[in-house]
Coordinates of all heavy atoms in Angstrom, one line a residue:
S108 N 95.0 41.7 189.9 CA 96.3 42.3 189.8 C 96.2 43.8 189.5 O 95.1 44.3 189.2 CB 97.0 41.6 188.5 OG 96.2 41.8 187.4
R109 N 97.3 44.5 189.6 CA 97.3 45.9 189.5 C 96.7 46.3 188.1 O 96.0 47.3 188.1 CB 98.8 46.4 189.6 CG 98.9 47.9 189.5 CD 100.4 48.4 189.8 NE 100.5 49.8 189.5 CZ 100.3 50.8 190.3 NH1 99.8 50.5 191.6 NH2 100.5 52.1 190.1
Y110 N 97.3 45.8 187.0 CA 96.7 46.2 185.7 C 96.4 44.8 185.0 O 97.2 44.4 184.2 CB 97.7 47.0 184.9 CG 97.9 48.4 185.6 CD1 99.2 48.7 186.0 CD2 97.0 49.3 185.6 CE1 99.4 49.9 186.6 CE2 97.2 50.5 186.1 CZ 98.4 50.8 186.6 OH 98.7 52.1 187.2
A111 N 95.2 44.3 185.2 CA 94.8 43.0 184.6 C 94.8 43.1 183.1 O 94.4 44.2 182.5 CB 93.5 42.6 185.1
A112 N 95.3 42.2 182.4 CA 95.4 42.2 180.9 C 94.1 41.7 180.2 O 93.8 42.3 179.2 CB 96.6 41.3 180.5
E113 N 93.3 40.9 180.8 CA 92.2 40.4 180.2 C 91.1 40.3 181.3 O 91.3 40.1 182.5 CB 92.4 38.9 179.7 CG 93.5 38.8 178.6 CD 93.0 39.5 177.3 OE1 91.7 39.6 177.1 OE2 93.8 39.8 176.5
P114 N 89.8 40.4 180.8 CA 88.7 40.2 181.7 C 88.6 38.8 182.3 O 89.0 37.9 181.6 CB 87.5 40.5 180.9 CG 87.9 41.3 179.7 CD 89.4 40.7 179.5
V115 N 88.2 38.6 183.5 CA 88.1 37.3 184.2 C 86.8 37.3 184.7 O 86.3 38.2 185.5 CB 89.2 37.1 185.2 CG1 89.0 35.7 185.8 CG2 90.5 37.2 184.6
V116 N 86.0 36.3 184.4 CA 84.6 36.2 184.9 C 84.5 35.0 185.9 O 85.4 34.1 185.8 CB 83.6 36.0 183.8 CG1 83.5 37.2 182.8 CG2 83.8 34.7 183.0
P117 N 83.6 35.0 186.8 CA 83.5 33.9 187.7 C 83.0 32.6 187.0 O 82.5 32.6 185.9 CB 82.4 34.3 188.7 CG 81.6 35.3 187.9 CD 82.5 36.0 187.0
G118 N 83.3 31.5 187.7 CA 82.9 30.2 187.1 C 81.5 29.8 187.4 O 81.2 28.6 187.3
A119 N 80.6 30.7 187.6 CA 79.2 30.4 187.9 C 78.5 30.1 186.5 O 78.8 30.7 185.5 CB 78.5 31.6 188.6
P120 N 77.5 29.3 186.5 CA 76.7 29.0 185.3 C 75.9 30.2 184.8 O 75.5 31.1 185.6 CB 75.8 27.8 185.7 CG 75.6 28.0 187.1 CD 76.9 28.6 187.7
V121 N 75.6 30.1 183.5 CA 74.7 31.1 182.9 C 73.2 30.6 183.1 O 72.9 29.3 182.9 CB 74.9 31.3 181.4 CG1 74.0 32.2 180.8 CG2 76.3 31.8 181.3
G122 N 72.3 31.4 183.5 CA 70.9 31.1 183.6 C 70.2 31.3 182.3 O 70.7 31.1 181.3
D123 N 69.0 31.9 182.4 CA 68.2 32.3 181.3 C 68.7 33.5 180.7 O 68.4 34.7 181.2 CB 66.7 32.4 181.7 CG 65.8 32.7 180.5 OD1 66.2 33.1 179.5 OD2 64.5 32.5 180.7
E124 N 69.6 33.5 179.7 CA 70.2 34.6 179.1 C 69.7 34.7 177.7 O 69.8 33.8 176.9 CB 71.7 34.4 179.1 CG 72.5 35.7 178.6 CD 74.0 35.5 178.8 OE1 74.5 34.4 178.2 OE2 74.6 36.4 179.2
R125 N 69.2 35.9 177.3 CA 68.6 36.1 175.9 C 69.1 37.3 175.3 O 69.3 38.4 175.9 CB 67.0 36.2 176.1 CG 66.4 34.9 176.8 CD 64.9 35.1 176.8 NE 64.3 34.1 177.6 CZ 63.0 33.8 177.7 NH1 62.2 34.4 176.9 NH2 62.6 32.9 178.5
L126 N 69.2 37.2 174.0 CA 69.5 38.3 173.1 C 68.5 38.4 172.0 O 68.4 37.5 171.2 CB 71.0 38.2 172.5 CG 71.4 39.4 171.7 CD1 71.6 40.6 172.6 CD2 72.8 39.1 171.1
E127 N 67.7 39.4 172.0 CA 66.6 39.5 171.2 C 66.7 40.9 170.3 O 67.5 41.7 170.6 CB 65.3 39.7 171.9 CG 65.0 38.7 172.9 CD 63.8 38.9 173.8 OE1 63.1 39.9 173.6 OE2 63.5 38.2 174.7
Q128 N 66.0 40.9 169.2 CA 65.9 42.1 168.5 C 64.5 42.8 168.7 O 63.5 42.1 168.4 CB 66.2 42.0 167.0 CG 67.6 41.7 166.7 CD 67.9 41.7 165.2 OE1 67.1 41.2 164.4 NE2 69.1 42.2 164.8
R129 N 64.5 44.0 169.1 CA 63.2 44.7 169.4 C 63.2 46.1 168.6 O 64.2 46.7 168.5 CB 63.1 44.9 170.9 CG 62.9 43.7 171.7 CD 61.5 43.0 171.5 NE 61.2 42.0 172.4 CZ 60.3 42.1 173.4 NH1 59.5 43.2 173.5 NH2 60.1 41.1 174.2
H130 N 62.0 46.4 168.3 CA 62.0 47.8 167.6 C 61.8 48.8 168.8 O 60.9 48.6 169.6 CB 60.8 47.9 166.8 CG 60.5 49.3 166.2 ND1 61.4 49.9 165.3 CD2 59.6 50.2 166.6 CE1 61.0 51.2 165.0 NE2 59.9 51.4 165.8
S131 N 62.7 49.8 168.8 CA 62.6 50.8 169.8 C 62.0 52.1 169.3 O 62.6 52.8 168.4 CB 64.0 51.2 170.3 OG 64.1 52.4 171.1
P132 N 60.7 52.4 169.7 CA 60.1 53.6 169.2 C 61.0 54.9 169.6 O 61.0 55.8 168.9 CB 58.8 53.7 170.0 CG 58.5 52.2 170.3 CD 59.8 51.6 170.5
A133 N 61.6 54.9 170.8 CA 62.4 56.0 171.2 C 63.6 56.2 170.3 O 64.0 57.4 170.1 CB 62.9 55.8 172.6
R134 N 64.2 55.2 169.7 CA 65.4 55.3 168.8 C 65.0 55.3 167.4 O 65.8 55.6 166.5 CB 66.4 54.3 169.1 CG 67.0 54.3 170.5 CD 68.4 53.7 170.6 NE 69.3 54.4 169.6 CZ 70.4 53.9 169.0 NH1 70.7 52.6 169.3 NH2 71.1 54.6 168.3
G135 N 63.8 54.8 167.1 CA 63.3 54.8 165.7 C 64.1 53.7 164.9 O 64.2 53.9 163.7
R136 N 64.4 52.6 165.5 CA 65.1 51.5 164.9 C 65.0 50.2 165.7 O 64.7 50.2 166.8 CB 66.7 51.9 164.7 CG 67.4 52.0 166.0 CD 68.7 52.7 165.8 NE 68.5 54.1 165.4 CZ 69.5 54.9 164.9 NH1 70.6 54.4 164.7 NH2 69.2 56.1 164.7
T137 N 65.5 49.2 165.0 CA 65.6 47.9 165.7 C 66.8 47.9 166.5 O 67.9 48.2 166.0 CB 65.5 46.7 164.8 OG1 64.2 46.7 164.1 CG2 65.7 45.4 165.5
V138 N 66.8 47.4 167.7 CA 68.0 47.3 168.6 C 68.1 45.9 169.2 O 67.1 45.1 169.3 CB 67.9 48.4 169.8 CG1 67.9 49.8 169.2 CG2 66.8 48.0 170.7
D139 N 69.3 45.6 169.6 CA 69.6 44.4 170.4 C 69.1 44.6 171.9 O 69.5 45.6 172.4 CB 71.0 43.9 170.4 CG 71.5 43.4 169.0 OD1 70.7 42.6 168.5 OD2 72.5 43.8 168.5
F140 N 68.3 43.6 172.4 CA 67.8 43.7 173.7 C 68.3 42.5 174.5 O 68.0 41.4 174.1 CB 66.3 43.8 173.7 CG 65.7 43.7 175.1 CD1 66.1 44.5 176.1 CD2 64.7 42.8 175.3 CE1 65.5 44.4 177.4 CE2 64.1 42.7 176.6 CZ 64.4 43.5 177.6
Y141 N 69.1 42.7 175.6 CA 69.6 41.7 176.4 C 69.0 41.5 177.7 O 68.8 42.5 178.4 CB 71.2 42.0 176.5 CG 71.9 41.0 177.5 CD1 72.5 39.9 177.1 CD2 72.0 41.4 178.8 CE1 73.2 39.1 177.9 CE2 72.8 40.6 179.7 CZ 73.3 39.4 179.2 OH 74.0 38.6 180.1
T142 N 68.8 40.3 178.1 CA 68.4 40.0 179.5 C 69.2 38.9 180.1 O 69.6 37.9 179.4 CB 66.9 39.7 179.7 OG1 66.6 38.6 178.9 CG2 66.1 41.0 179.3
A143 N 69.4 38.8 181.4 CA 70.1 37.7 182.0 C 69.5 37.5 183.4 O 69.4 38.4 184.2 CB 71.6 37.9 182.2
V144 N 69.0 36.3 183.6 CA 68.4 35.9 184.9 C 69.4 34.9 185.6 O 70.1 34.0 184.9 CB 67.1 35.1 184.6 CG1 66.5 34.6 186.0 CG2 66.1 36.0 183.9
P145 N 69.7 35.1 186.9 CA 70.6 34.2 187.5 C 70.1 32.7 187.5 O 68.9 32.5 187.5 CB 70.6 34.7 189.0 CG 69.5 35.5 189.2 CD 69.1 36.1 187.8
A146 N 71.1 31.9 187.3 CA 70.8 30.4 187.2 C 70.0 30.0 188.4 O 70.3 30.4 189.6 CB 72.0 29.6 187.1
G147 N 69.0 29.1 188.2 CA 68.2 28.7 189.4 C 66.9 29.5 189.6 O 66.2 29.2 190.6
H148 N 66.8 30.5 188.8 CA 65.7 31.5 189.0 C 64.7 31.5 187.8 O 64.1 32.6 187.6 CB 66.1 32.8 189.5 CG 66.7 32.9 190.9 ND1 65.9 33.1 192.0 CD2 67.9 32.6 191.3 CE1 66.7 33.0 193.0 NE2 67.9 32.8 192.6
G149 N 64.7 30.4 187.1 CA 63.7 30.3 186.0 C 63.8 31.4 185.0 O 64.9 31.8 184.5

Side-chain angles (χ1 to χ4, degrees):
S108 63
R109 179 176 173 83
Y110 295 114
E113 298 291 338
V115 180
V116 298
V121 177
D123 185 340
E124 185 178 49
R125 305 187 190 189
L126 186 64
E127 309 172 3
Q128 287 190 323
R129 294 290 189 112
H130 176 72
S131 166
R134 296 207 63 207
R136 69 193 67 196
T137 297
V138 299
D139 288 314
F140 172 54
Y141 170 88
T142 57
V144 178
H148 290 271

